[in-house]
Amino acid sequence: MTDNTQRPQDGASSARPEDLPTQYAPAEVEGQLYERWVERGYFEADEAGGKEPYTIVIPPPNVTGSLHLGHAFEHTLIDALTRRKRMQGYETLWQPGMDHAGIATQNVVERELAKEGKSRHDLGREAFVDRVWKWKAESGGQISGQMKRLGDGVAWSRERFTMDEGLSKAVQTIFKRLYDDELIYRAERIINWCPRCLTAISDIEAEYQDDEGELVSIRYGEGENAIVVATTRAETMLGDTAVAVHPDDERYRHLVGTEIELPLTGRRIPVVADEHVDPGFGTGAVKVTPAHDPNDFEIGRRHGLPNLAVMDEHAVITVHGPFQGLDRLEARSTIVAALRAEGRIVAEKRPYTHSVGHCSRCKTTLEPRLSMQWWVKVGPLAQAAGDAVRDGRVKIHPEDMSKRYFDWVDNLHDWCISRQLWWGHRIPVWYGPNGEVVCVGPDDEPPSGEGWRQDSDVLDTWFSSGLWPFSTLGWPERTDSLAKFYPNSVLVTGYDILFFWVARMMMFGLYAMDGTPPFHTVALHGMVRDQFGKKMSKSFGNAVNPLDWMDTYGSDAVRFTLARGAHPGVDVPIGEDWVQASRNFANKIWNATRFALMNGATVEGELPDAERLSAADRWILSRLNSVVAEVDAYYDDYQFAKLSDTLFHFAWDEVFDWYVELSKTTFAKGGPAADASRRVLGEVLDVTLRLLHPLVPFVTEQLWTALTGQESVVIADWPADSAFRDPAAEREIETLQQVVTEVRRFRADQGLQPGQKVPARLELGGTALAAHEDAIRQLLRLQPEGEGFTATATLPVAGATVALDLSGAIDVEAERKRLAKDLAAAEKELAQTTAKLGNEAFLVKAPDQVVEKIRARQASAGSDIERISAQLSALPQA
């Protein structure tokens, strides 16, 4: 069990503030820090401990894969959640592992074999599978090392693989149970078939895109008995076994029950009436090819039509001499030409754009094909999966994504789980010489003897990954890990695999674990896109390797950028300039903390009582506790973008740009007030670094250990809201900020350099600002009045007056001319926009967005006039 007792640093991890480099160099520290975390067992989980569990499984990446931005995004969010929960005292398990990725992995190894001039058939099944295992050992799983680069705090000792011995036993067990419960069956159905991968593809693995093809209208029959049908797949007409019309369509009522000639084949086929046909679409008649179309298959079942397959597994025509042996696309054009020669083509539309399914792995156009396959009867399983969300046992976040979930599970078709591959979990069914069918469990001996053979198919990859939340914990054994860490606390995954993976885990988890769902919450995120909102793709030339960005800017910068864009269920645009900005933030944390440490910021001793603290001290402590509460609320609502933005602005704007600067004045004076501020600054840094740690773990580890002298921020306590609030101090400092901000803006408008000193008189009266005069002067570079002081510009701000002597700082006449020119331009813009908005004809004709743009220009011009006029008034008179 991990010992969370903090210890002083030792060895290479010990550091003094002055030992910190002047600049943060991520590449020099990230790898060492991660190795130290793993060596010390921070990420491991203990079943025997009494802590409350917090469990998340990694969406298992493919063994063929490498870290892409989508992985980096998802892993950042999961790592942030688990690091925070670990700091909160939970027994935290982030379960790692990889998916065997049946089709993808087999394709990789087959390509390797092709380089040797071989195919898998040259090796045979057993030798080919051995070759895949060898590839997996040598080349697979490079993503694990890349996850370490990102800082993933996973329990590496528990890493699993969907083909390892334990998970294979889980797959065989649940198959046997489902089979015995008659929820798995074998049947001939229409499936999506990939002629390249030579396997069935599930509906949700078919990628649909608009392709350009042709729509041809073909005349079946002759004279009054002729019917015109239209198709984009003319080659399938060879397998037509009927023409269907709607029962109420008067145009074809006289033909229902008769037979017409099928062109090119010499066969006669019936005309049937079926409710499925839309009489208002096209000619109101459709060709029926039951072996090559799912809708036609159902029509065929209703009318007892024969299923005539006309293509083999390679999509090559197998019937009718003239076309036999042609690829489907060759056959298409050849058949259309033959029909045209016979005068059967009534109309041709080319190009004709329509949606076509493609294999998600190799992009080959899929072919609907009648095939004997294994299926899961999903009805009762899907009902349970829907009910678990409806009754609140599982919450989907954001809630509006629930509708998509219900639309899917409430209309789920039986799931084709067999794949015609060699790599994967082989279906545990044996066939006997006399037609026997035996399903074998993991503890059963398979039947043997002459004539017995095992089914040659393997299971869909999603079948084994659907067991992931409990198979990784030792199921079907009732292990201590299963008892401790199931169900998972939350599943963090993309909305794009809500149907692929989430629904399957829900169905299997509820079935296998006695009605207990696999997780309490499903937190859905969007997809990473480029800075223009376009999907990232190698073909688009906008794909990014996150490792390149990590090399250049550091892992913290990549993580923070991704988290800052993570609104629940919404796609995340990301560009390199945003990563640069996050790198700048990491540098700001480093530089400001290092400065504070060099100036005595400390965590030693108790915080002074409130009455011993300055207004600035009380303000920053009050704001700190508010931020702790805000961050906690955002974490609990999976609002990563909001919590990241809150921490960014608090750290940069309030702590570094204001409190550190205000502290400089206090430190310069010395005494008890300075000692109190050093302790407050240490407290603020301590808490801020702990709050930031789940998002930017590396830089915060370096700084927090240097600040506190403790072992690691990974096992530090998560900050708690102490409930200290001081509204009066917050108002006081807000007033100071208002004065400083307004005067800075005036200085900039007058063209003064930030460091340029100007004589000034501060009239702070009896306000609370009087105690901050030294700080105000330092922040604004304001010198004392001195002899000969002349107030050439007077600024009333927030109840105070700041009088400036600009006589030696600017050319007043030149500045007046410049401002007058700007004022004239703003007045002209206001007049023009006002005239347009007063023109009724323009308002009627112009698009709404154009009108809104003119209104915005009008408002901006009015603001410019007000600002420039104030600047002119503030200039000294001639």
Side-chain angles (χ1 to χ4, degrees):
M1 179 175 177
T2 301
D3 178 7
N4 278 10
T5 303
Q6 288 277 5
R7 302 184 291 271
Q9 295 183 28
D10 54 23
S13 63
S14 61
R16 296 171 300 171
E18 59 268 27
D19 292 334
L20 290 173
T22 55
Q23 291 185 329
Y24 178 50
E28 296 178 11
V29 300
E30 290 179 349
Q32 297 175 20
L33 290 179
Y34 191 86
E35 287 179 12
R36 189 183 309 152
W37 294 335
V38 173
E39 288 170 2
R40 292 178 175 175
Y42 295 157
F43 305 140
E44 298 302 325
D46 186 2
E47 303 89 352
K51 297 179 181 179
E52 185 177 348
Y54 185 81
T55 315
I56 295 181
V57 294
I58 191 173
N62 287 351
V63 68
T64 59
S66 60
L67 191 74
H68 57 64
L69 267 179
H71 289 127
F73 172 54
E74 186 168 78
H75 291 197
T76 293
L77 305 187
I78 298 175
D79 197 42
L81 290 173
T82 53
R83 284 179 183 269
R84 172 177 175 254
K85 286 296 184 180
R86 188 178 295 111
M87 295 171 75
Q88 287 181 317
Y90 287 78
E91 195 65 55
T92 303
L93 171 60
W94 181 8
Q95 173 67 54
M98 286 182 290
D99 192 283
H100 66 277
I103 296 176
T105 305
Q106 180 157 319
N107 282 346
V108 168
V109 178
E110 286 194 87
R111 283 196 296 270
E112 292 296 315
L113 284 174
K115 295 176 184 177
E116 303 171 16
K118 298 178 181 178
S119 73
R120 60 184 165 118
H121 300 284
D122 294 323
L123 273 66
R125 183 168 193 147
E126 185 175 346
F128 177 78
V129 171
D130 287 343
R131 179 72 176 257
V132 179
W133 277 109
K134 182 181 178 182
W135 174 88
K136 191 260 182 185
E138 294 176 352
S139 307
Q142 63 174 313
I143 199 169
S144 297
Q146 296 166 347
M147 287 166 57
K148 295 174 182 178
R149 284 284 314 277
L150 189 65
D152 287 2
V154 300
W156 287 111
S157 69
R158 294 172 175 263
E159 187 174 12
R160 304 304 299 268
F161 180 54
T162 51
M163 287 279 287
D164 68 28
E165 184 178 352
L167 270 65
S168 293
K169 181 177 181 180
V171 168
Q172 200 170 349
T173 299
I174 202 162
F175 187 100
K176 171 70 170 169
R177 291 187 186 179
L178 289 165
Y179 182 87
D180 290 346
D181 288 343
E182 298 183 348
L183 292 172
I184 282 183
Y185 64 95
R186 192 168 185 246
E188 198 173 41
R189 298 275 191 278
I190 292 287
I191 47 92
N192 297 305
W193 181 263
C194 177
R196 158 62 183 78
C197 298
L198 299 180
T199 183
I201 300 291
S202 69
D203 290 341
I204 55 176
E205 291 176 297
E207 293 181 347
Y208 285 87
Q209 65 185 48
D210 287 341
D211 286 359
E212 283 192 358
E214 61 180 351
L215 180 70
V216 293
S217 298
I218 309 168
R219 187 183 76 252
Y220 287 14
E222 299 291 345
E224 293 182 356
N225 294 336
I227 297 181
V228 175
V229 298
T231 181
T232 58
R233 301 164 65 221
E235 69 278 9
T236 64
M237 67 159 291
L238 300 176
D240 286 358
T241 55
V243 171
V245 298
H246 194 275
D248 298 331
D249 195 332
E250 294 292 339
R251 294 172 294 176
Y252 304 115
R253 187 181 296 276
H254 67 290
L255 293 176
V256 173
T258 67
E259 290 185 342
I260 60 174
E261 181 185 351
L262 178 65
L264 304 181
T265 67
R267 288 193 290 117
R268 296 187 68 79
I269 58 176
V271 178
V272 299
D274 195 278
E275 295 279 353
H276 171 76
V277 180
D278 180 1
F281 182 76
T283 63
V286 297
K287 59 192 287 296
V288 181
T289 320
H292 292 279
D293 184 275
N295 294 322
D296 293 3
F297 178 77
E298 295 302 326
I299 293 175
R301 291 202 342 174
R302 287 192 288 272
H303 297 277
L305 301 174
N307 300 317
L308 180 57
V310 298
M311 280 180 253
D312 66 11
E313 60 184 3
H314 297 281
V316 172
I317 301 299
T318 58
V319 299
H320 200 65
F323 313 111
Q324 192 169 357
L326 295 178
D327 172 80
R328 56 182 166 167
L329 299 182
E330 293 176 305
R332 183 176 300 170
S333 58
T334 305
I335 288 171
V336 169
L339 290 168
R340 189 183 299 112
E342 288 192 5
R344 294 286 182 174
I345 300 296
V346 175
E348 297 180 70
K349 185 175 182 181
R350 193 184 290 114
Y352 179 73
T353 302
H354 60 131
S355 182
V356 177
H358 295 259
C359 175
S360 60
R361 294 297 176 192
C362 69
K363 312 307 177 186
T364 300
T365 300
L366 296 175
E367 187 66 39
R369 184 171 189 250
L370 185 64
S371 180
M372 182 67 76
Q373 301 285 344
W374 286 94
W375 304 80
V376 172
K377 186 185 296 183
V378 300
L381 301 174
Q383 177 68 45
D387 290 345
V389 175
R390 287 188 175 92
D391 63 25
R393 282 176 290 157
V394 177
K395 297 187 183 303
I396 293 181
H397 189 279
E399 190 176 354
D400 58 10
M401 287 281 180
S402 298
K403 182 180 184 302
R404 297 180 64 177
Y405 176 78
F406 292 134
D407 286 346
W408 178 254
V409 298
D410 292 347
N411 298 285
L412 201 56
H413 299 295
D414 284 0
W415 171 20
C416 177
I417 57 172
S418 46
R419 298 291 182 267
Q420 289 64 54
L421 304 170
W422 287 357
W423 172 246
H425 294 283
R426 195 163 175 181
I427 289 175
V429 172
W430 270 254
Y431 304 107
N434 299 310
E436 302 96 332
V437 179
V438 177
C439 182
V440 176
D443 300 321
D444 301 331
E445 284 293 329
S448 60
E450 187 177 349
W452 283 94
R453 62 180 179 84
Q454 186 178 359
D455 194 298
S456 60
D457 288 351
V458 301
L459 288 163
D460 178 12
T461 298
W462 295 103
F463 190 94
S464 51
S465 61
L467 314 180
W468 192 248
F470 51 94
S471 63
T472 52
L473 297 173
W475 187 92
E477 307 301 327
R478 293 291 173 173
T479 63
D480 292 339
S481 288
L482 191 65
K484 177 79 173 184
F485 295 113
Y486 186 92
N488 291 186
S489 305
V490 62
L491 174 74
V492 178
T493 191
Y495 64 70
D496 55 319
I497 58 172
L498 181 63
F499 315 130
F500 286 87
W501 192 42
V502 178
R504 281 151 174 69
M505 286 189 291
M506 287 285 283
M507 291 191 295
F508 283 165
L510 289 160
Y511 174 79
M513 298 299 294
D514 303 318
T516 302
F519 22 72
H520 298 301
T521 301
V522 180
L524 297 171
H525 59 72
M527 299 172 64
V528 178
R529 297 180 177 272
D530 71 12
Q531 58 189 323
F532 306 108
K534 189 175 182 180
K535 181 179 179 180
M536 284 191 174
S537 167
K538 289 181 181 179
S539 60
F540 295 155
N542 62 350
V544 173
N545 183 346
L547 296 174
D548 294 339
W549 280 355
M550 284 189 264
D551 289 340
T552 305
Y553 305 109
S555 297
D556 286 333
V558 174
R559 289 170 61 114
F560 194 73
T561 303
L562 292 165
R564 205 173 177 193
H567 296 279
V570 178
D571 289 347
V572 182
I574 184 173
E576 188 168 3
D577 53 339
W578 303 339
V579 186
Q580 292 174 358
S582 294
R583 186 268 316 272
N584 295 343
F585 179 51
N587 288 342
K588 182 75 170 181
I589 299 170
W590 181 270
N591 294 333
T593 304
R594 185 175 181 276
F595 169 84
L597 291 172
M598 295 296 290
N599 283 271
T602 181
V603 296
E604 297 295 327
E606 297 293 324
L607 276 172
D609 295 335
E611 57 268 19
R612 294 175 51 205
L613 299 177
S614 69
D617 292 336
R618 299 193 307 276
W619 160 72
I620 198 63
L621 290 174
S622 181
R623 288 290 304 126
L624 178 67
N625 282 292
S626 294
V627 167
V628 169
E630 288 175 38
V631 168
D632 276 335
Y634 287 141
Y635 261 118
D636 292 342
D637 198 34
Y638 306 100
Q639 297 281 357
F640 295 98
K642 290 182 178 179
L643 73 89
S644 301
D645 218 43
T646 295
L647 286 171
F648 174 86
H649 287 294
F650 174 71
W652 192 310
D653 299 345
E654 298 185 75
V655 178
F656 303 146
D657 279 359
W658 283 104
Y659 184 67
V660 169
E661 292 300 315
L662 289 170
S663 298
K664 290 179 181 178
T665 305
T666 308
F667 294 160
K669 291 181 179 179
D675 291 339
S677 290
R678 289 188 179 96
R679 179 63 188 89
V680 169
L681 181 54
E683 181 76 10
V684 172
L685 290 174
D686 171 21
V687 173
T688 302
L689 290 170
R690 282 187 280 150
L691 289 173
L692 283 166
H693 173 71
L695 300 172
V696 285
F698 295 107
V699 68
T700 51
E701 174 80 340
Q702 282 286 94
L703 294 174
W704 189 86
T705 52
L707 170 69
T708 65
Q710 296 298 308
E711 181 182 339
S712 175
V713 69
V714 176
I715 53 173
D717 291 336
W718 181 253
D721 177 5
S722 71
F724 174 80
R725 301 290 191 278
D726 193 329
E730 291 192 35
R731 287 193 297 271
E732 186 172 328
I733 300 303
E734 285 169 5
T735 303
L736 178 150
Q737 291 172 326
Q738 185 179 351
V739 170
V740 171
T741 300
E742 287 299 318
V743 176
R744 279 177 175 167
R745 183 179 295 119
F746 177 78
R747 286 175 56 108
D749 288 340
Q750 304 307 317
L752 296 176
Q753 296 300 313
Q756 188 173 353
K757 295 184 178 181
V758 176
R761 177 191 301 131
L762 272 59
E763 298 176 3
L764 306 177
T767 68
L769 289 174
H772 301 286
E773 180 169 350
D774 290 345
I776 292 173
R777 285 188 177 277
Q778 179 175 319
L779 291 168
L780 290 171
R781 305 293 190 267
L782 301 180
Q783 295 175 318
E785 299 173 40
E787 188 175 345
F789 175 84
T790 303
T792 58
T794 303
L795 303 175
V797 184
T801 301
V802 179
L804 304 173
D805 185 352
L806 303 178
S807 56
I810 62 172
D811 183 335
V812 175
E813 192 56 36
E815 186 64 17
R816 192 184 303 280
K817 288 181 180 178
R818 183 184 71 81
L819 290 173
K821 183 178 179 181
D822 291 347
L823 180 61
E827 289 173 337
K828 181 179 179 181
E829 173 75 353
L830 180 64
Q832 289 176 340
T833 54
T834 301
K836 275 193 175 182
L837 294 172
N839 184 338
E840 288 297 328
F842 168 77
L843 294 177
V844 169
K845 293 180 180 179
D848 291 345
Q849 62 268 30
V850 172
V851 174
E852 286 304 313
K853 190 173 181 180
I854 298 297
R855 288 198 176 111
R857 286 172 51 194
Q858 182 191 45
S860 178
S863 298
D864 288 344
I865 291 170
E866 184 177 345
R867 175 179 56 82
I868 297 168
S869 298
Q871 292 173 23
L872 279 167
S873 299
L875 285 174
Q877 300 299 313

